[in-house]
Amino acid sequence: MIDLENIRKTYQSAGRAVHALADVSLSIHEGEVFGIIGRSGAGKSTLIRLLNLLERPSEGRVRVDGEDITAYTDAQLREYRRTVGMIFQHFNLLRSRTVLDNVCFPLRLSGMPRAERLARAREVLDLVGLADHAHKYPGQLSGGQQQRVGIARALASRPRILLCDEATSALDPETTQSILRLLQDINLRLGLTIVLITHSMDVIRAVCDRVAVIERGHIVETGPVLDVFLHPGHDATRALLSESGLDGGEGWRTLAEGVSGRLVKLSFRGEATGRPLLSRLSRDLSLDLSILQGSVGRIKDTPYGQLIVAIEGSDEHLQALAPVLEQAGVHCEVLRS
């Protein structure tokens, strides 16, 4: 649905060129939740703002449904932006307007008749669970409720694309999870394409189908979230996973010094996560297994697990290990033979 082709974005600062994005190419599929993750200053905010041309690329093209939107006239761009909603880190609500008025505001700007915009605003407020708060002011709401107003406002014009610019960064963990559940529900119910940027791997794990990792203006890794989490291919991705605690860190290395045998990393996904694999390996292949580190969780709706295990046994039984793991649907990476 969305294609970024060889995007470069350069700013002038204090008389010198600052390269915010360098040769970025990226494809986002219709109906998916696509995450862009990176540290502060990596270029992710610039990247997401290219999708509605709040930022224009210095070089390259932005295509949506095959059309080059960077070539649009002002009138065409205004029409296109009506199909793109955006929610922000700090909500950006009009403090002197009621919740209902905030949601109506973009509809009034588009020329929708008053009765229609009131009906539509009440419809989306009900969708985000705020139907009873229509006549309150933003200052009377919690942070999570204010963000729900922002989501309702973004949905009011029936967009096809929803852009989320660090939409949960200002919220506490519990509220963050409720907003992420709401975004996932909106994605499923409305078929929206959602693009979100974040610095949190927890956010990516909870709602995204695919992810791109950005580092110093470059896309260094992209793919399905499960693949990127379980088999990161770039140092930046590994660092983000380690900082979030989702990979368990490097504590197993100290333990590994005190045990003998083959050292492997076992990665499980889907139904394989809940099967009694280790007891089967120990029983059927006469192997001694020592778990040095492990984690089990869910990535969106899919269970996953990752274990670092020291294995001791005869050469014959160790040779039989690989086909058993392959048949069980478990990926095995040998860390020490």
Side-chain angles (χ1 to χ4, degrees), residues 53-110:
L53 291 193
L54 290 178
E55 296 280 0
R56 281 191 170 270
S58 304
E59 297 179 31
R61 296 179 178 180
V62 181
R63 294 187 183 275
V64 178
D65 290 330
E67 293 194 16
D68 180 5
I69 67 170
T70 55
Y72 275 2
T73 64
D74 289 345
Q76 287 175 312
L77 187 55
R78 283 194 297 272
E79 189 64 30
Y80 164 72
R81 283 176 175 158
R82 292 191 180 117
T83 70
V84 183
M86 192 164 190
I87 57 178
F88 305 90
Q89 179 178 357
H90 296 295
F91 321 134
N92 290 8
L93 301 179
L94 301 171
R95 313 298 293 182
S96 61
R97 303 286 185 95
T98 66
V99 166
L100 187 64
D101 288 338
N102 267 277
V103 179
C104 282
F105 188 68
L107 302 178
R108 182 166 67 84
L109 292 179
S110 69

Side-chain angles (χ1 to χ4, degrees), residues 262 264-268 272 275 277-278 280-281 285 287 289 309 311 318-334:
R262 181 180 297 182
V264 299
K265 180 189 287 186
L266 304 179
S267 299
F268 306 76
R275 292 175 182 154
L277 176 67
L278 296 186
R280 178 186 164 195
L281 293 176
L285 299 180
L287 298 174
L289 307 172
V309 182
I311 304 176
L318 286 171
Q319 289 174 2
L321 180 62
V324 172
L325 293 174
E326 184 178 354
Q327 186 178 17
V330 176
H331 181 270
C332 179
E333 178 185 352
V334 178

